[in-house]
């Protein structure tokens, strides 16, 4: 890849710092053998895993529990042609431990949708990659 002063790769620590700044990301997974992307609000746990709070009978839970998924967040400014993107890749699992579920009920993400008896899904941050594009201010 061509490297210049407008693009740079981000290390894990900086990527996780940026990830924690935004409230909504996208889960990338497979649904019925086809690629699927779902925007969802989230939070980061103390171990840097991505936490989702959703309905226990959702299609998302059935599709991702126990499989490797990607989770992407970004922030871009079209006017300055600048921004960043972070991707977390790892195994997604439904939190089944009652004590962990209780802890996340207090400190984990809240859903933007009303949920009855929500479940938490943890996406391990096995691989974290990030990139930043610094604005070119209209040059090509």
């Amino acid at each position: 890849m061509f490297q210049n002063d407008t693009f740079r790769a981000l290390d894990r620590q900086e990527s996780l710092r940026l990830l924690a700044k935004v409230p909504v990301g996208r889960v990338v997974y497979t649904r019925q053998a086809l690629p699927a992307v779902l925007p969802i609000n989230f939070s980061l746990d103390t171990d840097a895993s991505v936490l989702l709070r959703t309905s226990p009978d959702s299609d998302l839970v059935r599709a991702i529990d126990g499989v490797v998924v990607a989770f992407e967040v970004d922030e871009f400014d079209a006017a300055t042609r600048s921004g960043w993107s972070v991707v977390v890749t790892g195994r997604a699992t439904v939190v089944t431990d009652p004590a962990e579920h209780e802890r996340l009920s207090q400190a984990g993400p809240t859903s933007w949708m009303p949920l009855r008896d929500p479940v938490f899904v943890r996406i391990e941050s096995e691989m974290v990659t990030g990139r930043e594009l610094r604005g070119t201010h209209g040059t090509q």
Side-chain angles (χ1 to χ4, degrees), residues 20-104:
K21 287 177 42 174
V22 297
V24 175
R26 293 168 229 28
V27 180
V28 181
Y29 62 104
T30 302
R31 182 177 59 215
Q32 299 175 357
L34 296 171
V37 179
L38 180 70
I40 190 167
N41 65 296
F42 73 100
S43 68
L44 278 184
D45 205 354
T46 56
D47 66 352
S49 59
V50 173
L51 296 170
L52 314 175
R53 183 181 194 144
T54 190
S55 173
D57 58 351
S58 73
D59 290 339
L60 177 66
V61 169
R62 286 190 295 278
I64 70 173
D65 188 24
V67 300
V68 174
V69 301
F71 189 81
E72 190 270 345
V73 297
D74 55 52
E75 190 172 90
F76 290 99
D77 182 334
T80 63
R81 297 182 181 185
S82 63
W84 55 265
S85 175
V86 172
V87 177
V88 172
T89 305
R91 185 164 306 279
T93 54
V94 173
V95 174
T96 57
D97 178 67
E100 182 70 355
H101 189 278
E102 181 59 30
R103 179 183 76 83
L104 295 176

Coordinates of all heavy atoms in Angstrom, one line a residue, residues 20-104:
A20 N -13.7 3.7 21.8 CA -14.5 4.0 23.0 C -15.2 5.4 22.8 O -16.1 5.7 23.6 CB -13.6 4.0 24.2
K21 N -14.8 6.2 21.8 CA -15.4 7.5 21.7 C -16.7 7.6 21.0 O -17.4 8.6 21.1 CB -14.4 8.4 20.9 CG -13.2 8.8 21.6 CD -12.2 9.6 20.7 CE -12.9 10.6 19.8 NZ -12.0 11.5 19.1
V22 N -17.1 6.5 20.3 CA -18.3 6.6 19.5 C -19.4 5.7 20.1 O -19.1 4.6 20.7 CB -18.1 6.3 18.0 CG1 -17.2 7.3 17.4 CG2 -17.5 4.9 17.9
P23 N -20.7 6.0 20.0 CA -21.7 5.2 20.6 C -22.3 4.1 19.7 O -22.9 3.2 20.2 CB -22.8 6.2 20.9 CG -22.7 7.2 19.8 CD -21.2 7.3 19.5
V24 N -22.0 4.1 18.4 CA -22.6 3.2 17.5 C -21.6 2.6 16.5 O -20.7 3.3 16.0 CB -23.8 3.8 16.6 CG1 -24.3 2.9 15.6 CG2 -24.9 4.3 17.5
G25 N -21.6 1.3 16.3 CA -20.8 0.6 15.4 C -21.6 -0.3 14.5 O -22.8 -0.4 14.6
R26 N -20.9 -1.1 13.7 CA -21.5 -2.1 12.9 C -21.0 -3.5 13.1 O -19.8 -3.7 13.0 CB -21.3 -1.7 11.4 CG -22.0 -0.4 11.0 CD -21.5 0.1 9.7 NE -21.1 1.4 9.5 CZ -20.6 2.3 10.3 NH1 -20.4 2.0 11.5 NH2 -20.2 3.5 9.9
V27 N -21.9 -4.4 13.3 CA -21.5 -5.8 13.4 C -21.5 -6.4 12.0 O -22.5 -6.2 11.3 CB -22.5 -6.6 14.3 CG1 -22.1 -8.1 14.3 CG2 -22.6 -6.1 15.7
V28 N -20.5 -7.0 11.6 CA -20.4 -7.7 10.3 C -20.3 -9.2 10.5 O -19.5 -9.7 11.2 CB -19.1 -7.2 9.6 CG1 -19.0 -7.8 8.2 CG2 -19.0 -5.7 9.5
Y29 N -21.3 -9.9 9.9 CA -21.5 -11.3 10.2 C -22.1 -12.0 9.0 O -22.3 -11.3 7.9 CB -22.3 -11.5 11.4 CG -23.7 -11.0 11.4 CD1 -24.8 -11.9 11.2 CD2 -24.0 -9.6 11.5 CE1 -26.1 -11.4 11.1 CE2 -25.3 -9.2 11.4 CZ -26.4 -10.0 11.2 OH -27.7 -9.6 11.1
T30 N -22.4 -13.2 9.1 CA -23.0 -14.0 8.0 C -24.4 -14.4 8.4 O -24.6 -14.9 9.5 CB -22.2 -15.3 7.7 OG1 -20.9 -14.9 7.3 CG2 -22.8 -16.0 6.5
R31 N -25.4 -14.1 7.5 CA -26.8 -14.4 7.8 C -27.3 -15.2 6.5 O -27.2 -14.7 5.4 CB -27.6 -13.2 8.0 CG -29.1 -13.5 8.3 CD -29.9 -12.2 8.6 NE -29.8 -11.3 7.4 CZ -29.8 -10.0 7.5 NH1 -29.9 -9.4 8.6 NH2 -29.8 -9.3 6.4
Q32 N -27.7 -16.4 6.8 CA -28.1 -17.3 5.7 C -27.1 -17.4 4.6 O -27.5 -17.2 3.4 CB -29.5 -16.9 5.2 CG -30.6 -16.9 6.3 CD -31.9 -16.4 5.8 OE1 -32.1 -15.9 4.7 NE2 -32.9 -16.5 6.7
A33 N -25.9 -17.6 4.9 CA -24.7 -17.7 4.0 C -24.4 -16.4 3.2 O -23.7 -16.5 2.2 CB -25.0 -18.9 3.1
L34 N -25.0 -15.3 3.6 CA -24.7 -14.0 2.9 C -24.1 -13.0 3.9 O -24.4 -13.1 5.1 CB -26.0 -13.5 2.3 CG -26.6 -14.3 1.2 CD1 -28.0 -13.7 0.9 CD2 -25.8 -14.4 0.0
P35 N -23.3 -12.1 3.4 CA -22.8 -11.1 4.3 C -23.9 -10.2 4.8 O -24.8 -9.8 4.1 CB -21.8 -10.3 3.4 CG -21.8 -10.9 2.1 CD -22.8 -12.0 2.1
A36 N -23.8 -9.8 6.1 CA -24.8 -8.9 6.7 C -24.0 -7.9 7.6 O -23.0 -8.2 8.2 CB -25.7 -9.7 7.6
V37 N -24.6 -6.7 7.7 CA -24.0 -5.6 8.5 C -25.2 -5.0 9.2 O -26.2 -4.7 8.6 CB -23.3 -4.5 7.6 CG1 -22.8 -3.4 8.5 CG2 -22.2 -5.2 6.8
L38 N -25.0 -4.8 10.5 CA -26.1 -4.3 11.4 C -25.5 -3.2 12.3 O -24.6 -3.4 13.1 CB -26.7 -5.4 12.2 CG -27.8 -4.9 13.2 CD1 -29.1 -4.5 12.4 CD2 -28.1 -6.0 14.2
P39 N -26.0 -1.9 12.1 CA -25.6 -0.9 13.1 C -26.2 -1.2 14.5 O -27.4 -1.6 14.5 CB -26.1 0.4 12.5 CG -27.0 0.0 11.4 CD -26.9 -1.4 11.1
I40 N -25.4 -0.9 15.5 CA -25.9 -1.2 16.9 C -25.1 -0.4 17.8 O -23.9 -0.2 17.6 CB -25.8 -2.7 17.2 CG1 -26.5 -3.0 18.5 CG2 -24.4 -3.2 17.2 CD1 -26.8 -4.5 18.7
N41 N -25.7 0.1 18.9 CA -24.9 0.8 19.9 C -24.2 -0.3 20.8 O -24.6 -1.5 20.8 CB -25.8 1.7 20.8 CG -26.8 1.0 21.6 OD1 -27.7 0.3 21.0 ND2 -26.7 1.1 22.9
F42 N -23.1 0.1 21.5 CA -22.2 -0.8 22.2 C -21.5 0.0 23.2 O -21.6 1.2 23.4 CB -21.2 -1.4 21.2 CG -20.2 -0.4 20.7 CD1 -18.9 -0.4 21.3 CD2 -20.5 0.6 19.8 CE1 -18.0 0.5 20.9 CE2 -19.5 1.5 19.4 CZ -18.3 1.5 19.9
S43 N -20.7 -0.8 24.0 CA -19.7 -0.2 24.9 C -18.5 -1.2 24.9 O -18.6 -2.3 24.4 CB -20.3 0.0 26.3 OG -20.5 -1.2 26.9
L44 N -17.4 -0.7 25.4 CA -16.2 -1.5 25.6 C -16.1 -2.0 27.1 O -16.4 -1.2 28.0 CB -14.9 -0.7 25.3 CG -14.5 -0.6 23.9 CD1 -13.2 0.2 23.8 CD2 -14.4 -1.9 23.2
D45 N -15.8 -3.2 27.3 CA -15.6 -3.7 28.6 C -14.2 -3.4 29.1 O -13.3 -3.0 28.3 CB -15.9 -5.2 28.6 CG -16.3 -5.7 30.0 OD1 -16.3 -4.9 31.0 OD2 -16.7 -6.9 30.2
T46 N -13.9 -3.7 30.3 CA -12.6 -3.5 30.9 C -11.5 -4.3 30.2 O -10.3 -3.9 30.2 CB -12.6 -3.7 32.4 OG1 -13.0 -5.1 32.6 CG2 -13.5 -2.7 33.1
D47 N -11.8 -5.4 29.6 CA -10.8 -6.2 28.9 C -10.8 -5.9 27.4 O -10.2 -6.6 26.6 CB -11.2 -7.7 29.1 CG -12.5 -8.1 28.4 OD1 -13.2 -7.3 27.9 OD2 -12.8 -9.4 28.4
A48 N -11.3 -4.8 27.0 CA -11.4 -4.3 25.6 C -12.3 -5.1 24.7 O -12.2 -4.9 23.5 CB -9.9 -4.2 25.0
S49 N -13.1 -6.0 25.2 CA -14.1 -6.6 24.3 C -15.3 -5.7 24.1 O -15.6 -4.8 24.9 CB -14.5 -8.0 24.9 OG -15.1 -7.8 26.2
V50 N -15.9 -5.9 22.9 CA -17.1 -5.1 22.6 C -18.3 -5.8 23.2 O -18.5 -7.0 23.1 CB -17.2 -5.0 21.0 CG1 -18.5 -4.3 20.6 CG2 -16.0 -4.3 20.4
L51 N -19.1 -5.0 23.8 CA -20.4 -5.5 24.4 C -21.6 -4.9 23.7 O -21.7 -3.7 23.5 CB -20.4 -5.1 25.9 CG -19.3 -5.6 26.8 CD1 -19.4 -5.0 28.1 CD2 -19.5 -7.1 26.9
L52 N -22.5 -5.8 23.4 CA -23.8 -5.5 22.8 C -24.9 -5.9 23.8 O -24.8 -6.9 24.5 CB -24.0 -6.2 21.5 CG -22.8 -6.2 20.5 CD1 -23.2 -7.1 19.3 CD2 -22.5 -4.8 20.1
R53 N -26.0 -5.2 23.8 CA -27.1 -5.5 24.6 C -28.3 -5.7 23.6 O -28.6 -4.7 22.9 CB -27.4 -4.5 25.6 CG -28.6 -4.8 26.5 CD -28.8 -3.6 27.5 NE -29.6 -4.0 28.6 CZ -29.4 -3.6 29.9 NH1 -28.5 -2.7 30.2 NH2 -30.3 -4.0 30.8
T54 N -28.9 -6.8 23.6 CA -30.0 -7.0 22.6 C -31.0 -8.0 23.1 O -30.9 -8.5 24.2 CB -29.3 -7.5 21.2 OG1 -30.3 -7.5 20.2 CG2 -28.7 -8.9 21.4
S55 N -32.0 -8.3 22.2 CA -33.1 -9.2 22.6 C -32.6 -10.6 22.5 O -31.9 -11.0 21.5 CB -34.2 -9.0 21.6 OG -35.2 -9.9 21.8
P56 N -32.9 -11.5 23.4 CA -32.5 -12.9 23.4 C -33.0 -13.7 22.2 O -32.4 -14.6 21.8 CB -33.0 -13.5 24.7 CG -34.1 -12.6 25.1 CD -33.8 -11.2 24.6
D57 N -34.1 -13.3 21.6 CA -34.6 -14.0 20.5 C -34.4 -13.3 19.1 O -35.0 -13.6 18.1 CB -36.1 -14.2 20.6 CG -36.9 -12.9 20.8 OD1 -36.3 -11.9 21.0 OD2 -38.2 -13.0 20.8
S58 N -33.4 -12.4 19.1 CA -33.1 -11.6 17.9 C -32.4 -12.5 16.9 O -31.6 -13.5 17.2 CB -32.2 -10.4 18.2 OG -30.9 -10.8 18.5
D59 N -32.5 -12.2 15.6 CA -31.8 -12.9 14.6 C -30.3 -12.7 14.7 O -29.5 -13.6 14.4 CB -32.2 -12.4 13.2 CG -33.6 -12.8 12.8 OD1 -34.1 -13.8 13.4 OD2 -34.2 -12.1 11.9
L60 N -29.9 -11.6 15.3 CA -28.5 -11.3 15.5 C -27.9 -12.3 16.4 O -26.8 -12.9 16.1 CB -28.3 -9.9 16.0 CG -26.8 -9.5 16.3 CD1 -26.0 -9.5 15.0 CD2 -26.8 -8.2 17.0
V61 N -28.5 -12.5 17.6 CA -28.0 -13.5 18.6 C -27.8 -14.9 18.0 O -26.8 -15.5 18.1 CB -28.8 -13.5 19.8 CG1 -28.4 -14.6 20.7 CG2 -28.7 -12.2 20.6
R62 N -28.8 -15.3 17.3 CA -28.8 -16.6 16.7 C -27.7 -16.7 15.6 O -27.0 -17.8 15.5 CB -30.1 -17.0 16.0 CG -31.2 -17.4 17.1 CD -32.4 -17.9 16.4 NE -33.1 -17.0 15.6 CZ -34.0 -16.1 16.0 NH1 -34.3 -16.0 17.3 NH2 -34.6 -15.3 15.2
A63 N -27.4 -15.7 14.9 CA -26.4 -15.7 13.8 C -25.0 -15.6 14.3 O -24.1 -16.1 13.7 CB -26.7 -14.6 12.8
I64 N -24.7 -14.9 15.4 CA -23.4 -14.6 15.8 C -22.9 -15.4 17.0 O -21.7 -15.4 17.3 CB -23.1 -13.1 16.0 CG1 -23.8 -12.6 17.2 CG2 -23.4 -12.4 14.7 CD1 -23.4 -11.1 17.6
D65 N -23.7 -16.0 17.8 CA -23.3 -16.7 19.1 C -22.3 -17.8 18.7 O -22.7 -18.7 18.0 CB -24.5 -17.2 19.9 CG -24.0 -17.7 21.2 OD1 -23.0 -17.3 21.7 OD2 -24.8 -18.6 21.8
G66 N -21.1 -17.7 19.2 CA -20.1 -18.7 19.0 C -19.3 -18.6 17.7 O -18.5 -19.5 17.4
V67 N -19.5 -17.6 16.9 CA -18.8 -17.5 15.6 C -17.9 -16.2 15.6 O -18.1 -15.3 16.4 CB -19.7 -17.5 14.4 CG1 -20.5 -18.8 14.4 CG2 -20.6 -16.3 14.4
V68 N -17.0 -16.2 14.7 CA -16.1 -15.0 14.6 C -16.8 -14.0 13.7 O -17.4 -14.3 12.7 CB -14.7 -15.4 13.9 CG1 -13.9 -14.2 13.6 CG2 -14.0 -16.4 14.8
V69 N -16.8 -12.7 14.2 CA -17.4 -11.6 13.5 C -16.5 -10.4 13.5 O -15.4 -10.5 14.2 CB -18.8 -11.2 14.2 CG1 -19.8 -12.3 14.3 CG2 -18.5 -10.6 15.6
A70 N -16.8 -9.4 12.8 CA -16.1 -8.2 12.8 C -17.0 -7.1 13.3 O -18.2 -7.2 13.2 CB -15.6 -7.8 11.4
F71 N -16.4 -6.1 14.0 CA -17.2 -5.0 14.5 C -16.4 -3.7 14.1 O -15.2 -3.6 14.3 CB -17.3 -5.0 16.0 CG -18.2 -4.0 16.6 CD1 -19.6 -4.2 16.6 CD2 -17.7 -2.8 17.1 CE1 -20.4 -3.2 17.0 CE2 -18.6 -1.9 17.6 CZ -20.0 -2.1 17.6
E72 N -17.1 -2.8 13.4 CA -16.4 -1.6 12.8 C -17.0 -0.4 13.3 O -18.2 -0.3 13.5 CB -16.5 -1.7 11.3 CG -15.7 -0.7 10.6 CD -16.4 0.6 10.3 OE1 -17.6 0.7 10.4 OE2 -15.7 1.6 10.0
V73 N -16.2 0.6 13.6 CA -16.6 2.0 14.0 C -15.8 2.9 13.2 O -14.6 2.6 12.7 CB -16.5 2.3 15.5 CG1 -17.3 1.4 16.3 CG2 -15.0 2.2 15.9
D74 N -16.3 4.1 12.9 CA -15.5 5.1 12.2 C -16.1 6.5 12.5 O -17.1 6.7 13.1 CB -15.6 4.9 10.7 CG -17.0 4.7 10.2 OD1 -17.8 5.7 10.4 OD2 -17.3 3.8 9.5
E75 N -15.3 7.5 12.1 CA -15.7 8.9 12.2 C -15.0 9.6 11.0 O -13.8 9.5 10.9 CB -15.3 9.4 13.5 CG -15.8 10.8 13.8 CD -15.5 11.2 15.2 OE1 -14.4 11.9 15.4 OE2 -16.3 10.9 16.1
F76 N -15.8 10.2 10.1 CA -15.3 10.9 9.0 C -15.9 12.3 8.8 O -17.0 12.5 9.2 CB -15.6 10.0 7.7 CG -14.8 8.8 7.6 CD1 -15.4 7.6 8.0 CD2 -13.5 8.8 7.2 CE1 -14.7 6.4 8.0 CE2 -12.8 7.6 7.2 CZ -13.4 6.4 7.5
D77 N -15.1 13.1 8.2 CA -15.5 14.5 7.9 C -15.3 14.7 6.4 O -14.2 14.7 5.9 CB -14.7 15.5 8.6 CG -15.2 16.9 8.4 OD1 -15.7 17.2 7.3 OD2 -14.9 17.8 9.3
A78 N -16.4 14.6 5.6 CA -16.3 14.7 4.1 C -15.7 16.1 3.7 O -15.0 16.1 2.7 CB -17.7 14.6 3.5
A79 N -16.0 17.1 4.4 CA -15.5 18.5 4.0 C -14.0 18.5 4.1 O -13.3 19.1 3.2 CB -16.1 19.5 4.9
T80 N -13.4 17.9 5.1 CA -11.9 17.9 5.2 C -11.2 16.6 4.7 O -10.0 16.5 4.7 CB -11.5 18.1 6.6 OG1 -11.9 17.0 7.4 CG2 -12.0 19.4 7.2
R81 N -12.1 15.7 4.2 CA -11.6 14.4 3.7 C -10.6 13.7 4.7 O -9.6 13.3 4.4 CB -10.8 14.6 2.4 CG -11.7 15.1 1.3 CD -10.9 15.1 0.0 NE -11.8 15.7 -1.1 CZ -11.4 15.7 -2.3 NH1 -10.2 15.3 -2.7 NH2 -12.3 16.2 -3.2
S82 N -11.1 13.7 6.0 CA -10.3 13.1 7.1 C -11.2 12.3 7.9 O -12.4 12.4 7.9 CB -9.7 14.2 7.9 OG -10.7 15.0 8.5
G83 N -10.6 11.4 8.7 CA -11.3 10.5 9.6 C -10.5 9.3 9.9 O -9.3 9.2 9.7
W84 N -11.2 8.4 10.6 CA -10.5 7.1 11.0 C -11.5 6.0 11.0 O -12.7 6.2 11.0 CB -9.9 7.3 12.4 CG -10.9 7.8 13.5 CD1 -11.1 9.1 13.8 CD2 -11.8 7.0 14.2 NE1 -12.1 9.1 14.8 CE2 -12.5 7.8 15.0 CE3 -12.0 5.6 14.3 CZ2 -13.5 7.4 15.9 CZ3 -13.0 5.1 15.1 CH2 -13.7 6.0 16.0
S85 N -11.0 4.8 11.0 CA -11.8 3.6 11.1 C -11.1 2.5 11.9 O -9.9 2.4 11.8 CB -12.0 3.1 9.6 OG -12.7 1.8 9.6
V86 N -11.9 1.8 12.7 CA -11.3 0.8 13.6 C -12.2 -0.5 13.4 O -13.4 -0.4 13.3 CB -11.3 1.2 15.1 CG1 -10.9 0.0 15.9 CG2 -10.4 2.3 15.3
V87 N -11.5 -1.6 13.2 CA -12.2 -2.9 13.1 C -11.7 -3.9 14.2 O -10.5 -4.0 14.3 CB -11.9 -3.6 11.7 CG1 -12.6 -4.9 11.6 CG2 -12.5 -2.6 10.6
V88 N -12.6 -4.4 14.9 CA -12.3 -5.5 15.9 C -12.8 -6.8 15.3 O -14.0 -6.9 14.9 CB -13.0 -5.2 17.2 CG1 -12.9 -6.4 18.2 CG2 -12.5 -3.9 17.9
T89 N -12.0 -7.8 15.3 CA -12.4 -9.1 14.9 C -12.2 -10.1 16.0 O -11.1 -10.1 16.7 CB -11.5 -9.5 13.7 OG1 -11.6 -8.5 12.7 CG2 -12.0 -10.9 13.1
G90 N -13.2 -10.9 16.2 CA -13.1 -11.9 17.3 C -14.4 -12.7 17.4 O -15.4 -12.4 16.8
R91 N -14.3 -13.7 18.3 CA -15.5 -14.6 18.6 C -16.5 -13.9 19.4 O -16.2 -13.2 20.4 CB -15.0 -15.8 19.3 CG -16.2 -16.9 19.5 CD -15.6 -18.2 19.8 NE -14.6 -18.7 18.9 CZ -14.9 -19.3 17.7 NH1 -16.1 -19.5 17.3 NH2 -13.9 -19.8 17.0
A92 N -17.8 -14.0 19.0 CA -18.9 -13.4 19.7 C -19.6 -14.5 20.5 O -19.8 -15.6 20.0 CB -19.9 -12.8 18.7
T93 N -19.9 -14.2 21.8 CA -20.6 -15.2 22.6 C -21.6 -14.5 23.5 O -21.4 -13.3 23.9 CB -19.6 -15.9 23.5 OG1 -18.8 -15.0 24.3 CG2 -18.7 -16.8 22.8
V94 N -22.7 -15.1 23.7 CA -23.7 -14.6 24.6 C -23.2 -14.8 26.1 O -22.7 -15.9 26.4 CB -25.1 -15.3 24.4 CG1 -26.1 -14.9 25.5 CG2 -25.6 -15.1 23.0
V95 N -23.3 -13.8 26.9 CA -22.9 -13.9 28.3 C -24.0 -14.7 29.0 O -25.1 -14.3 29.1 CB -22.8 -12.5 28.9 CG1 -22.5 -12.6 30.4 CG2 -21.7 -11.7 28.2
T96 N -23.5 -15.9 29.6 CA -24.5 -16.7 30.3 C -24.2 -16.8 31.8 O -25.1 -17.2 32.5 CB -24.4 -18.2 29.7 OG1 -23.0 -18.6 29.9 CG2 -24.8 -18.2 28.3
D97 N -23.1 -16.3 32.2 CA -22.8 -16.3 33.7 C -23.7 -15.3 34.4 O -23.7 -14.1 34.0 CB -21.3 -16.0 33.9 CG -21.0 -15.9 35.4 OD1 -21.0 -17.0 36.0 OD2 -20.7 -14.8 35.9
P98 N -24.5 -15.8 35.4 CA -25.4 -14.8 36.1 C -24.7 -13.6 36.7 O -25.2 -12.5 36.6 CB -26.1 -15.7 37.1 CG -26.0 -17.1 36.6 CD -24.6 -17.1 35.9
A99 N -23.6 -13.8 37.3 CA -22.9 -12.7 38.0 C -22.4 -11.7 36.9 O -22.5 -10.5 37.1 CB -21.7 -13.3 38.8
E100 N -21.9 -12.2 35.8 CA -21.4 -11.4 34.8 C -22.5 -10.6 34.1 O -22.5 -9.4 33.8 CB -20.6 -12.2 33.7 CG -20.0 -11.4 32.6 CD -18.9 -10.5 33.0 OE1 -18.5 -10.4 34.2 OE2 -18.3 -9.9 32.1
H101 N -23.7 -11.3 33.9 CA -24.9 -10.6 33.4 C -25.3 -9.5 34.3 O -25.7 -8.4 33.8 CB -26.0 -11.7 33.2 CG -27.1 -11.1 32.4 ND1 -28.1 -10.4 33.0 CD2 -27.4 -11.2 31.1 CE1 -29.0 -10.0 32.1 NE2 -28.6 -10.5 30.9
E102 N -25.3 -9.8 35.6 CA -25.7 -8.7 36.6 C -24.7 -7.5 36.5 O -25.2 -6.4 36.5 CB -25.7 -9.3 38.0 CG -26.2 -8.3 39.0 CD -27.5 -7.7 38.8 OE1 -28.4 -8.4 38.2 OE2 -27.8 -6.5 39.2
R103 N -23.4 -7.8 36.5 CA -22.5 -6.7 36.4 C -22.7 -5.9 35.1 O -22.7 -4.7 35.2 CB -21.0 -7.3 36.3 CG -20.0 -6.2 36.2 CD -18.6 -6.8 36.1 NE -18.3 -7.3 34.8 CZ -17.9 -6.6 33.8 NH1 -17.7 -5.3 33.9 NH2 -17.6 -7.2 32.6
L104 N -22.9 -6.6 34.0 CA -23.2 -5.8 32.7 C -24.5 -5.1 32.7 O -24.6 -4.1 32.1 CB -23.0 -6.8 31.6 CG -21.7 -7.4 31.3 CD1 -21.7 -8.4 30.2 CD2 -20.6 -6.3 31.1

